Amino acid sequence: MLLGTVLVLLVLGGAGPASAHAALRSTDPGDGIVLQRAPRHVTLAFTESVGLRDDSFRVLDPGGHRVRTGEAGRVDGRSDTVRVALPGELGEGTYTVAWRVVSADSHPVSGAFTFSVGTPSATAASDTGPAEDPLTAALHTIARYLSYLAAALLIGTAAFVLLCRPPDPAPLRRPLTAGWWTLLAATVALLVLRAPYESGAGPSAALDATALGDTMTGRPGMLLLARLALLAPVALLLLRAVGTARTARTGRGTALTAAAGTLLAVALALTWAAAEHAAAGIQVPLAMTSSVLHLLATAVWLGGLVALLTTLRSAPDAATVARFSRTALTSVTVLVVTGAYQSWRGLGSWPALTGTTYGRLLLAKVVLVAVLLAAAAVSRRWTTALVTTKVGTATGTAAARERERGHVRARVPEPAGGPPPRAPEPEPVAVPVSVSVSEQTVPSEPPEPSEPSEPSRSEDAPHHRALRRSVLVEAGVAAVVLVVTTVLTSTPPGRTADEAARAVPAGGVLPASVTTIPFDLGTSGRGTVQITLDPGRTGDNAVQAVVFGPDGSLAAVPELRLSFTLPDHQVGPLEAELVDRGGYWSANSLTLPLPGTWTMRATVRVSEIDQVTETRRIRIER
């Protein structure tokens, strides 16, 4: 029933927008466009706010040499639109713009595009700089996974001590200590690797003191520093929590420890939520709250499993297991509700669930969580059996003691000739439990109520073993879930690219529509014609077309015709009056009056007597 909620919300949320990872919305000049004169600047618009680095933009000339540009800045103060000034004179040829920025969810994104001035070059620069160093990316991913794992172990074990109240919390010091030190080491590693991760450089770049200083002043670096600062009071609180659990079960001290622990756990969770998908996109306050609750519920459940395993091995206690069972059920409910909301926010449609990497990873996580819930159901069944056995054993032991007391009284020896005359009963006087037979009693030493008898232990042993096995399966699947979650948080949500294709960019920067149409040259092979509509919307559009031969070089053709038809409204054909500009064809104005799916028909005359016609369907937005 809880897993079904995820699917229902995915369907109901089919119209929601994408929510994280910056995607390039448009560029000015447009990708692949051919300009008659050099532009004065390059402008990029993104789907969300982005952070700039010193080398966010690299402009390469036709020979692959870097062009000296101005400092990158914002357009009209907008955080999602950036601009870099170009030098006054650019020669003819094709220029490559390589860019790398940091999205609002702290993940770096990069790409490249080209534009041409005058006649396009036969080839464009291919070396656009580092996109991502595999070793740096792998180390950063491992550190992120370890930080998630350590947080779950630390928060979950501490919650287990305070909420489940095991009889002896001393064995839990080891997982608490391991979680604290692992989180400390992973956070330091993330802080050091942040600069090379953003720039795409190798791990050796982490030794650059200037880059490390820049990291500490950025939002991701400040969140990591805040996490490090929180670990000091966390260590003090853990010592107090274990001591409080050992000496007292209730009272003001326990309540204060629990309240302080809750505040520190929320603060730690915020350092993740503010640096991940929840920090960007729609409904940020609600998304941040959901992300914090999701992380805490995960930690209480999965970290509590480790604590439960440790407790079952050292000092099994049915009451502790029962308390954890109730706590885990609450955590699972919170997980499903918050997970359903985050799935809707990141996907919003069924096609994205199977057609994107994010959706497929989410499906894998749902399947793994289903397996985890099945294992949890088995654990809950064994918990119920264990508690029932304990209650039955306690009831049987009490009854046995009562029968034993009655049996002792019945075996008191009497003198020969019958009992003496009945005397008045004296006032009750406390006597020792063990006296001689002549004093009308027999030795009797019943076991302490807190010590289970040997039969009780033998009856509990199968239940304890079965419970340990099922909890061990839960913990193993939970580790895999954390791996998938780590990859999922670094994967762009499913409909980010769709939003980038549909949206009109801020600041008046309109995207160009670029279509490549291959055509047959007979025995010579196949050529292509690249057609650019700028801005690719209803109204007036500029048209540029470049013809390439089979080897990818520019090709001269006697004639190129282009027409547009909108069959749904019986509009067209509208002819684009292309003019040969010497290396490319263009039309200054083509009016497309209505939005919809247009049919573009390109006719290429390859010789005096031969021509080829191809069609493509393109989407024109309002």
Side-chain angles (χ1 to χ4, degrees), residues 19-43:
S19 63
H21 268 69
L24 183 63
R25 181 182 285 171
S26 66
T27 64
D28 182 20
D31 185 17
I33 196 170
V34 181
L35 305 172
Q36 297 181 9
R37 62 179 63 183
R40 298 180 58 184
H41 51 254
V42 173
T43 305

Side-chain angles (χ1 to χ4, degrees), residues 240-517:
R240 178 180 176 85
V242 174
T244 301
R246 175 178 292 183
T247 58
R249 300 293 183 187
T250 58
R252 184 177 180 183
T254 304
L256 290 177
T257 302
T262 302
L263 290 176
L264 286 174
V266 171
L268 278 174
L270 277 171
T271 64
W272 274 277
E276 299 292 350
H277 290 170
I282 61 170
Q283 303 174 353
V284 171
L286 181 58
M288 292 276 285
T289 303
S290 174
S291 181
V292 168
L293 291 176
H294 194 81
L295 180 60
L296 293 179
T298 301
V300 171
W301 183 20
L302 304 188
L305 286 175
V306 178
L308 181 61
L309 275 174
T310 305
T311 301
L312 289 175
R313 289 181 178 276
S314 59
D317 179 67
T320 301
V321 176
R323 294 186 195 104
F324 177 75
S325 182
R326 292 190 294 269
T327 302
L329 180 61
T330 303
S331 300
V332 169
T333 303
V334 174
L335 273 174
V336 171
V337 173
T338 55
Y341 168 73
Q342 293 180 92
S343 300
W344 165 81
R345 189 172 180 265
L347 286 174
S349 66
W350 280 106
L353 194 60
T354 57
T356 63
T357 302
Y358 184 90
R360 288 188 289 270
L361 284 171
L362 187 60
L363 275 178
K365 182 177 179 180
V366 170
V367 171
L368 287 170
V369 170
V371 175
L372 198 57
L373 288 174
V378 174
S379 299
R380 189 172 177 83
R381 187 182 66 182
W382 286 117
T383 299
T384 303
L386 181 63
V387 173
T388 303
T389 302
K390 285 288 185 181
V391 172
T393 301
T395 304
T397 301
R401 289 172 181 166
E402 290 297 326
R403 289 194 300 271
E404 183 180 350
R405 293 191 184 98
H407 183 63
V408 168
R409 296 192 189 96
R411 294 180 60 188
V412 175
E414 300 177 357
R422 192 177 185 88
E425 294 186 3
E427 292 294 326
V429 178
V431 296
V433 175
S434 180
V435 294
S436 66
V437 174
S438 61
E439 292 174 316
Q440 306 298 309
T441 62
V442 297
S444 177
E445 294 181 8
E448 292 295 327
S450 59
E451 293 294 332
S453 62
E454 291 302 325
S456 172
R457 287 176 178 172
S458 61
E459 291 174 5
D460 292 345
H463 295 156
H464 280 301
R465 287 196 296 269
L467 182 59
R468 280 198 297 267
R469 286 194 295 267
S470 62
V471 172
L472 188 60
V473 171
E474 282 189 75
V477 178
V480 181
V481 170
L482 284 179
V483 172
V484 176
T485 301
T486 303
V487 178
L488 193 64
T489 56
S490 60
T491 303
R495 296 197 299 115
T496 301
D498 293 339
E499 184 195 30
R502 291 194 309 267
V504 178
V509 182
L510 296 175
S513 171
V514 180
T515 305
T516 300
I517 303 177

Side-chain angles (χ1 to χ4, degrees), residues 581-622:
R581 304 291 184 181
Y584 69 98
W585 299 70
S586 70
N588 291 331
S589 179
L590 170 68
T591 302
L592 301 177
L594 297 173
T597 302
W598 289 71
T599 299
M600 181 170 60
R601 181 185 179 93
T603 300
V604 183
R605 185 182 295 277
V606 296
S607 68
E608 292 298 329
I609 59 174
D610 296 320
Q611 68 179 26
V612 180
T613 300
E614 298 286 348
T615 60
R616 284 291 184 276
R617 294 168 66 85
I618 61 171
R619 181 70 184 175
I620 300 298
E621 302 291 347
R622 188 179 300 277

Side-chain angles (χ1 to χ4, degrees), residues 122 524 526 548-555:
S524 301
R526 294 178 64 83
F548 298 95
D551 58 353
S553 62
L554 295 177

Side-chain angles (χ1 to χ4, degrees), residues 96-289:
T96 302
V97 180
W99 53 270
R100 187 177 183 88
V101 296
V102 181
S103 59
D105 59 1
S106 78
H107 297 291
V109 289
S110 60
F113 67 95
T114 62
F115 68 90
S116 300
V117 178
T119 304
S121 306
T123 59
S126 58
D127 184 11
T128 58
E132 184 178 70
D133 183 81
L135 181 56
T136 299
L139 292 174
H140 190 269
T141 300
I142 292 173
R144 290 179 64 243
Y145 172 72
L146 290 177
S147 68
Y148 281 123
L149 186 64
L153 184 62
L154 185 63
I155 296 174
T157 305
F160 184 88
V161 171
L162 293 173
L163 298 177
C164 302
R165 304 189 299 277
D168 182 16
L172 298 177
R173 288 180 179 271
R174 181 172 295 178
L176 285 172
T177 303
W180 190 89
W181 281 108
T182 303
L183 184 56
L184 176 66
T187 304
V188 171
L190 288 172
L191 186 64
V192 173
L193 289 171
R194 186 69 203 177
Y197 175 66
E198 289 184 356
S199 63
S204 60
L207 303 177
D208 187 349
T210 303
L212 183 60
D214 293 339
T215 297
M216 292 182 177
T217 57
R219 186 172 61 87
M222 295 177 67
L223 289 171
L224 291 173
L225 289 175
R227 190 181 303 169
L228 288 175
L230 287 170
L231 287 178
V234 165
L236 297 176
L237 185 69
L238 291 179
L239 295 175
R240 178 180 176 85
V242 174
T244 301
R246 175 178 292 183
T247 58
R249 300 293 183 187
T250 58
R252 184 177 180 183
T254 304
L256 290 177
T257 302
T262 302
L263 290 176
L264 286 174
V266 171
L268 278 174
L270 277 171
T271 64
W272 274 277
E276 299 292 350
H277 290 170
I282 61 170
Q283 303 174 353
V284 171
L286 181 58
M288 292 276 285
T289 303

